[in-house]
Amino acid sequence: MPSEVIELSGHIIDSWTLPRAWDIIMDRGGNFVVEEMRVGVSKTETSYARLKIEAPSDEILERILSELQQFGAVLVHGNDAQTVAVEQNGVLPPKFYSTTNLPTQVRLNGQWVEVEGIEMDVAVIIDQASARAYCRPMHEVQVGDQVVVGHDGIRVHPFERARDREAFAFMQSSVSSEKVKVLAIHEIARQMQDIRARNGKILFVLGPAVIHTGAGRYVADLIRRGYVQVIFGGNAIVTHDIESALFGTSLGVDLRSGEQVEGGHRNHLRAINAIRALGSLEKALETGLLREGITYEVMKRNIPMVLAGSIRDDGPMPSVINDMQEAQKKMRKEVQGVEMAIMVASMLHAIATGNLLPSTVRTVVVDINPAVVTKLADRGSFQAAGLVTDAELFLRELAEALS
Amino acid sequence: MPSEVIELSGHIIDSWTLPRAWDIIMDRGGNFVVEEMRVGVSKTETSYARLKIEAPSDEILERILSELQQFGAVLVHGNDAQTVAVEQNGVLPPKFYSTTNLPTQVRLNGQWVEVEGIEMDVAVIIDQASARAYCRPMHEVQVGDQVVVGHDGIRVHPFERARDREAFAFMQSSVSSEKVKVLAIHEIARQMQDIRARNGKILFVLGPAVIHTGAGRYVADLIRRGYVQVIFGGNAIVTHDIESALFGTSLGVDLRSGEQVEGGHRNHLRAINAIRALGSLEKALETGLLREGITYEVMKRNIPMVLAGSIRDDGPMPSVINDMQEAQKKMRKEVQGVEMAIMVASMLHAIATGNLLPSTVRTVVVDINPAVVTKLADRGSFQAAGLVTDAELFLRELAEALS
Amino acid sequence: MPSEVIELSGHIIDSWTLPRAWDIIMDRGGNFVVEEMRVGVSKTETSYARLKIEAPSDEILERILSELQQFGAVLVHGNDAQTVAVEQNGVLPPKFYSTTNLPTQVRLNGQWVEVEGIEMDVAVIIDQASARAYCRPMHEVQVGDQVVVGHDGIRVHPFERARDREAFAFMQSSVSSEKVKVLAIHEIARQMQDIRARNGKILFVLGPAVIHTGAGRYVADLIRRGYVQVIFGGNAIVTHDIESALFGTSLGVDLRSGEQVEGGHRNHLRAINAIRALGSLEKALETGLLREGITYEVMKRNIPMVLAGSIRDDGPMPSVINDMQEAQKKMRKEVQGVEMAIMVASMLHAIATGNLLPSTVRTVVVDINPAVVTKLADRGSFQAAGLVTDAELFLRELAEALS
Amino acid sequence: MPSEVIELSGHIIDSWTLPRAWDIIMDRGGNFVVEEMRVGVSKTETSYARLKIEAPSDEILERILSELQQFGAVLVHGNDAQTVAVEQNGVLPPKFYSTTNLPTQVRLNGQWVEVEGIEMDVAVIIDQASARAYCRPMHEVQVGDQVVVGHDGIRVHPFERARDREAFAFMQSSVSSEKVKVLAIHEIARQMQDIRARNGKILFVLGPAVIHTGAGRYVADLIRRGYVQVIFGGNAIVTHDIESALFGTSLGVDLRSGEQVEGGHRNHLRAINAIRALGSLEKALETGLLREGITYEVMKRNIPMVLAGSIRDDGPMPSVINDMQEAQKKMRKEVQGVEMAIMVASMLHAIATGNLLPSTVRTVVVDINPAVVTKLADRGSFQAAGLVTDAELFLRELAEALS
């Protein structure tokens, strides 16, 4: 029977690492023997376990190891990480190691080296010369890149549940619409202040409902107060933001009276056309056409705003990136260093951003639809805390809490 | 071919009465001839139509007439309303007229008389002696009651769309989570002030999530400011309100910290048990056990609060009515004179209340789940305006707008 | 510092009992020392842990113990269960033990005795004479009843995750609308066959949408094939079932053509009135008025159907119980011996039933709305497996799989 | 006061055209006088109205006319359509006419000419030489193109409610999860047979849940039977379809057992990588790597499948179009001639497709989430009929109904 010995250490019982590992082994049809186990006798001490894992076939053993690695399992008899060179641009070697969004190290010449720019579902490239390891998406790998394969020499730092739960309880799970959300909002505000106190980066991912609900003004306010360092969105948010700046409407609804003043789509097409006529958003600022709104505030301050197009876009508005790989590349660049991500009323761009964020980024997903909130976690961004609430009232309360 | 001539008058085109009538006739398999038609030439003038309706059978004709009456159709050759006496308690004569929630008149001795206490799906009883007409639910009719049958001598005042749409646009339809809700909330506040200025009655229907989200304090505030004249709810709202007053928790969650401080259901059972030990909510006030919360505020002010039990109740808490007919009777009594009904995070009690309200009561349904908001309208309370938003933040904003 | 020593044994690691216990201790502000720990070296062996728990106050210690008991913790220095006599009908002694829905034992004269009729959120009564222990809801306790208080001598059998996960994987969690539901439905069918092969009882809890969607015929079919031993529902399901049997409609929609043939509520009032005129459902069968449908099928076979009224009911239909405590009592009686509960398109009655079911009953909740599916689990019926799918198509597929 | 005289004719009362027109005039602050009105005296006769519309300003009058045109209003004193030449590529003249998805005609030299390839929110280009009119999206207009501006000489054919409602009642509105869906599914099947009998084109828009739920096999079956002439989707559907063909899983879940057999995302990355290694989907067929599934079936039959990328894509899979304008262009080409569009479990691609479809295409949106179903109609595809049901069971029933 194929077998392998692994080690797990840390808060492996109270972080539920050990029981999860046992689950996986049994669910996938394997078996295990606890060769050694030391249990921390108080809540500050860590535990240690060494398990021998057996499986009916090499393939199943390989599956089990691949999953256990996500919980921090390390092969006891492991060697340095193994690599295979890329032979065709944009194509990985068959047994490529696919990353998680957890902090990950690879062993090079006996030393554990941090993988840089970690994100989920990409490959790890090793540069032996500089003894460094990088993440790289499949379509960007080049002939000759050394790609990590197999399971040797890979160590993932599992997600440990926060010790000090009182401080930010909801960050561990989600706040249903049936819990006290004002508390959670004020806690988010407090964390934002902490991050800004040390000059950290906060990312907002915004859907068009932010504008439709008249909540654009609260976001503009947060930008002016210095709480927004990056924005991700699409054609719709920028278009309706500019529609509201130029005509006072969003999808034809007057944001000051709530009345429908236009048949619907005409004003947003006019807004796009007006900017296209000038040639760029920059020109719209220079000429004084654009005098308020989210776009105005970020451009005045040179805050990066990445606008990724989608198949349903009208226009599009200048600055919207229509090539998906190019847009991802730009988002990848801008997520570097982000400490907190706040995603409001966005599904497509929130999931796309979730794919790019390391698990260490505090992520808050705000949507009135509980399905959106759980979808992000289902897609692997398990660190995302959800807040099932009204986007407009959330932003209003957040802006108030921060003023 | 069976036929009948009806008249429609008023704003029958812009209130969509006429097109709806034509739809019904055609959908049910009938046919019509416009015998006379006068169209108002400006938006303040009314219109008039006289239609001859034909149907392939008496049964289908009867169906068509029954539906057209809800849009204000009156039989041209109609007589006084016809009645049949009840022969068995709680059982109606076969062809009983079943009400809508629209203002309704019946013709007695050639005079149109208003049906008192109108609500949907009940019978109309005529008291010839006093020349009055009343609503009565099926289970309350008594042997000898004269019940209106057939279609003669019945006139319904159809629901006309408000002329002054700007004033309260959303009252005509619903506000999705993608519209500006702060505007709608402030408009509701303004209407509440108007109603209270003329000493009108405002009803709140509340679900337990109001307490779980910590929004009980905003309702208590509205009560203290005089904006609540009646409350409807169930065992859950009163139990968690008292749990929060006695222990600071709701379903075991500390409302000041958001932390789970109890395994869950224990505190609410303790709350019920404590009140049962005293014998009544009144005793809990007298003894000083109960010193805050919604229940405390309404009892101190003798504001009626009808608590209707349900099959899933623990306890129950004293004051909760366990007999459904008795509870309905009490709710029926208390809805009299209500001018506005605000239903927050409640489904069961909101639908029950909707059944009892005339269409003339301004009704606002607030829930984060759009299905709850539409369900009420589907059940016949078409006058209900929905606000798809967070109950906690809605009440917080409403209390603020009114202070 | 107050402290207590507890023991945990069984599959306490892979059933996640131990990590959950540690979580609770820490979350509530306590501390622990592992006094002894033996870990099973393979997946068939059990583990054992003895922990000394400390807390800053007696109250907190008591909370921790109360929660740990739900995971099977037993006080090492425990005595027999302690009781206090009821002094007032319907009122429990202050420190009453509140049950979970897990199998529970109490120690009487040094012997562990099973608590009979276990359900959640009720008291345990001890009859010393017969050495037996029973569950009893608060409102049913009588002066002199010996009620279990405190934590001594109580042992709960925690919920262990099924070893053989392949057989019924979804029973452990829930099947989202994005998973293969046909597989789950066929597995449910197989389990129903197993239960019936050994003459077990299957309970159906049904909401009115079962009739509105035309799926009543599939339930009738399941009844005829012997797969339904008890039905729980309300006024709506029985009323629309009889409306469909008498008039072919549900809420006025023709179930064979999908067309609206009546303005809405009239046919269901006519159905109720027709049965009230006869006096009972039994008479409707005897006289031949009722010849098909769910009600017809169950009455012909003397299958118990408990119909619990609610505050929103019209009529009500004869046989609907209007007193909530009486209805609960009847449901309590009929859930005895149930091995599987299938709840379709019902929220109110599903939650009410969930409150009465021991955790050992296989429970499947089918609803198109994911919130209904999770609500039941949130309310404590954690054994409930949810299937987010269409009730009509679920019943159609189930009936087919069983034929 | 600025004024204008318009005419409306056709089934303007029972298609609710006239009341809607009056609503718009009043809602926008205008006024009207009925100059002439002839009402059809039976349901087969049409009606006619000539209205003088007044508004407080030219801007408001223009808004009113712009909305009335969508209901078929024609300026009585109208001239030929006016055009302005494009002066900058991709930029429209300021007063450009923005289309609806309704059949539209423009007047050229006194003749009404049909606008070709009608879709919503685009411009109309006139080619005087050939006396033809075309739709063109903003970003595709070229210097010199003659773009229709203003309101003269434009005639929209309003959406008339089907006379023969019985035949396909739900096509007029939507089927909630509380209605009989089997009837609707069989009606859809019947319509598909009709369309195929005359060799018409049926379009499917598919989301990845079709594969996750194991319903890919039913779609494959429909393709084999000739019921699918075009497919629109994204990277996810094609990737999981190929994942399931190569490994039997979708997102790592075994579609035959329902078990999770992989940690999650690995198999879909392997699937993409395998195809990238070969260079194209075509190669995967040629080499025999791909032997089943939706992609296999359409490629074998040369059925066009347009795969539009999105910002959240992994890979991407070869054949997925990453440039949004290019993808739209391809979709625009393939929707020509489509008679029926069936959109299953897709939001992004369904909305994108809805934008491109004329209102005359029978459109069915199937999703378990009612919000998706209503969103499409809200975005202007009012002809879309929604079916709130389970995608997997819908496709299973549809495939059965068609076999």
Side-chain angles (χ1 to χ4, degrees), chain A residues 8 53 59 77 101 113 130 132 137 147-148 151 167 170 173 225-226 235 245 249 315 338 341 349 365 377 395 402:
Chain A
L8 288 161
I53 297 160
E59 202 201 338
H77 311 295
N101 57 4
V113 168
S130 64
R132 289 170 68 182
V147 173
V148 173
H151 300 292
F170 94 90
S173 62
R225 290 172 187 280
N235 188 62
T249 63
V338 162
H349 293 87
V365 184
L395 287 167
L402 282 167

Side-chain angles (χ1 to χ4, degrees), chain C residues 55-172:
Chain C
S57 72
D58 279 327
E59 202 199 340
I60 291 175
L61 183 62
E62 208 249 354
R63 270 188 211 165
I64 291 172
L65 293 176
S66 143
E67 291 192 50
L68 290 187
Q69 277 189 321
Q70 301 181 22
F71 296 97
V74 179
L75 299 187
V76 168
H77 311 296
N79 301 309
D80 273 12
Q82 297 183 327
T83 61
V84 168
V86 169
E87 296 183 355
Q88 208 180 338
N89 284 347
V91 180
L92 293 166
K95 284 175 171 283
F96 68 94
Y97 172 77
S98 160
T99 58
T100 66
N101 57 3
L102 296 160
T104 301
Q105 296 176 312
V106 289
R107 207 168 82 171
L108 306 185
N109 309 316
Q111 301 290 321
W112 289 105
V113 168
E114 198 73 27
V115 176
E116 300 175 29
I118 193 73
E119 63 174 278
M120 71 172 91
D121 294 339
V122 293
V124 176
I125 305 293
I126 287 182
D127 177 7
Q128 287 287 358
S130 65
R132 289 170 67 182
Y134 311 88
C135 277
R136 194 154 295 168
M138 189 191 285
H139 63 268
E140 288 191 5
V141 296
Q142 300 289 329
V143 171
D145 281 351
Q146 291 293 325
V147 172
V148 172
V149 297
H151 300 294
D152 277 309
I154 300 168
R155 191 159 75 182
V156 169
H157 186 77
F159 195 65
E160 289 196 356
R161 307 184 65 210
R163 225 97 282 277
D164 187 12
R165 227 86 47 95
E166 298 76 38
F168 203 9
F170 93 92
M171 277 308 211
Q172 297 300 324

